[in-house]
Amino acid sequence: MNNKNNESVSLRFLYGNPVGRLALKLLTARWISKLCGVYLDSPLSKSLIKKFVSKNNIDLNDFEADNFKCFNDCFCRKIKEGKRPIDEDESELISPCDGLLSAYHINDDTVIPVKQSRYSISSLLENEELAKEYKDGICLVFRLCVNHYHRYCYPMDGEKGENIFIKGKLHTVRPIALEVYPVFTRNCREYTVIETEKHGKLLQMEVGAMLVGKIKNLHGKGRVMRGEEKGMFLYGGSTVIMLIQKDRAVIDEKLFINTEKEIETPILMGQRISKI
């Protein structure tokens, strides 16, 4: 589906209207996000669950849904075993999450073109030396909508480094926001580098969005396994970004073609990336 079809009236107001932009400054304040998080973690938020599930056509039969104590329990619900099978070829990269996938070749430190804007690896990571290691590589962007499964996993076995958190303002990751702000370089985000045998130094980043209370990663430095749960997002649309070094993976060319046409490719967690 074309990105333009996803733009909502409310986001057009927030990003395209002077009054809306004033409201945006308030909405993107971290204290607002934290306040929303407290409410969504409380029993008072249980009343939101039924409408959320119905509106987004979520089949709770696929999930462990016996005892939601608050809205966030529902939002980051755990899927039942077998509903997200991991691709059997252990040598290939898998998708770390459900989402809408876009693929970019990294050229001259530029990876994410959106209309007339471009987002660089160095500004994304706030680390120029690390950014250089992904020159001429590949950037994969997985955009999660509110109806997607909001837990994510590791794409390959390897030695995981420390989690690096970058503080930022929380903006929506819906496409209209990209027209106005360099969203990926303004949102709070957290990344880690995973040293793998076949695919070199993979970098996996989680990006928070408007009204996301936090990115919840489960592990520090250490050995991780392909398909092992890495963490989860709390409420809000979110994004996972994967950086792959030059010549370390072969990605289906259709993904790049779709991205050039502004088409995002649906994908599920555990699905082999090179064989969509």
Side-chain angles (χ1 to χ4, degrees), residues 185-254:
T185 60
R186 289 194 131 194
N187 288 31
C188 69
R189 51 210 186 272
E190 187 165 306
Y191 72 85
T192 187
V193 173
I194 305 169
E195 295 272 4
T196 72
E197 184 175 343
K198 178 179 178 181
H199 299 288
K201 294 173 67 171
L202 293 175
L203 187 144
Q204 183 170 335
M205 172 181 280
E206 293 80 40
V207 183
M210 189 182 293
L211 300 185
V212 174
K214 59 183 175 181
I215 299 162
K216 186 177 180 180
N217 281 317
L218 303 177
H219 311 115
K221 185 176 181 181
R223 184 73 182 175
V224 297
M225 304 298 291
R226 180 177 181 266
E228 178 184 5
E229 186 170 286
K230 183 179 188 291
M232 65 196 75
F233 292 107
L234 300 187
Y235 180 66
S238 310
T239 296
V240 174
I241 297 174
M242 188 189 304
L243 302 182
I244 306 169
Q245 292 178 309
K246 181 181 179 182
D247 298 331
R248 285 294 192 164
V250 178
I251 304 299
D252 192 333
E253 191 61 29
K254 291 180 182 178

Side-chain angles (χ1 to χ4, degrees), residues 128-160:
E128 291 188 8
E129 289 305 310
L130 181 59
K132 290 176 182 177
E133 297 193 41
Y134 296 93
K135 188 177 185 300
D136 298 323
I138 294 170
C139 173
L140 301 176
V141 179
F142 304 81
R143 184 171 70 88
L144 287 72
C145 300
V146 291
N147 60 301
H148 282 127
Y149 183 45
H150 269 70
R151 297 187 181 220
Y152 43 86
C153 71
Y154 296 103
M156 182 54 62
D157 295 353
E159 293 292 332
K160 173 186 175 297

Side-chain angles (χ1 to χ4, degrees), residues 9-269:
V9 173
S10 60
L11 288 175
R12 285 186 178 278
F13 170 74
L14 287 172
Y15 285 90
N17 181 286
V19 176
R21 286 195 290 272
L22 288 175
L24 184 66
K25 289 183 179 181
L26 179 63
L27 287 173
T28 56
R30 290 199 62 80
W31 70 268
I32 290 289
S33 179
K34 290 180 180 180
L35 184 63
C36 289
V38 170
Y39 170 65
L40 295 174
D41 280 334
S42 75
L44 295 174
S45 64
K46 286 181 67 175
S47 61
L48 302 176
I49 293 175
K50 185 176 180 180
K51 183 177 180 180
F52 172 77
V53 169
S54 175
K55 180 179 179 181
N56 292 290
N57 298 312
I58 296 170
D59 184 359
L60 289 180
N61 291 319
D62 289 345
F63 300 90
E64 298 177 6
D66 295 334
N67 188 26
F68 293 145
K69 296 179 180 178
C70 63
F71 179 83
N72 264 335
D73 279 356
C74 174
F75 186 78
C76 60
R77 61 201 176 275
K78 191 171 182 64
I79 204 160
K80 290 181 178 177
E81 188 172 350
K83 292 294 183 179
R84 289 294 182 275
I86 304 301
D87 185 87
E88 294 180 355
D89 188 342
E90 296 182 358
S91 68
E92 294 298 333
L93 291 173
I94 58 171
S95 173
C97 61
D98 289 7
L100 301 175
L101 175 56
S102 299
Y104 304 93
H105 293 290
I106 302 173
N107 298 312
D108 298 324
D109 198 31
T110 301
V111 298
I112 308 174
V114 183
K115 296 189 181 300
Q116 301 302 314
S117 299
R118 292 182 179 273
Y119 304 94
S120 72
I121 290 288
S122 58
S123 59
L124 186 70
L125 302 178
E126 295 188 358
N127 185 327
E128 291 188 8
E129 289 305 310
L130 181 59
K132 290 176 182 177
E133 297 193 41
Y134 296 93
K135 188 177 185 300
D136 298 323
I138 294 170
C139 173
L140 301 176
V141 179
F142 304 81
R143 184 171 70 88
L144 287 72
C145 300
V146 291
N147 60 301
H148 282 127
Y149 183 45
H150 269 70
R151 297 187 181 220
Y152 43 86
C153 71
Y154 296 103
M156 182 54 62
D157 295 353
E159 293 292 332
K160 173 186 175 297
E162 298 289 355
N163 298 317
I164 308 298
F165 181 76
I166 301 175
K167 185 177 179 180
K169 292 185 177 181
L170 299 178
H171 283 287
T172 178
V173 293
R174 292 287 292 278
I176 189 171
L178 302 180
E179 298 177 15
V180 182
Y181 293 102
V183 175
F184 295 118
T185 60
R186 289 194 131 194
N187 288 31
C188 69
R189 51 210 186 272
E190 187 165 306
Y191 72 85
T192 187
V193 173
I194 305 169
E195 295 272 4
T196 72
E197 184 175 343
K198 178 179 178 181
H199 299 288
K201 294 173 67 171
L202 293 175
L203 187 144
Q204 183 170 335
M205 172 181 280
E206 293 80 40
V207 183
M210 189 182 293
L211 300 185
V212 174
K214 59 183 175 181
I215 299 162
K216 186 177 180 180
N217 281 317
L218 303 177
H219 311 115
K221 185 176 181 181
R223 184 73 182 175
V224 297
M225 304 298 291
R226 180 177 181 266
E228 178 184 5
E229 186 170 286
K230 183 179 188 291
M232 65 196 75
F233 292 107
L234 300 187
Y235 180 66
S238 310
T239 296
V240 174
I241 297 174
M242 188 189 304
L243 302 182
I244 306 169
Q245 292 178 309
K246 181 181 179 182
D247 298 331
R248 285 294 192 164
V250 178
I251 304 299
D252 192 333
E253 191 61 29
K254 291 180 182 178
L255 287 174
F256 298 100
I257 295 171
N258 282 349
T259 301
E260 289 178 1
K261 296 178 179 178
E262 297 187 2
I263 298 171
E264 297 170 295
T265 303
I267 192 167
L268 297 178
M269 187 179 76

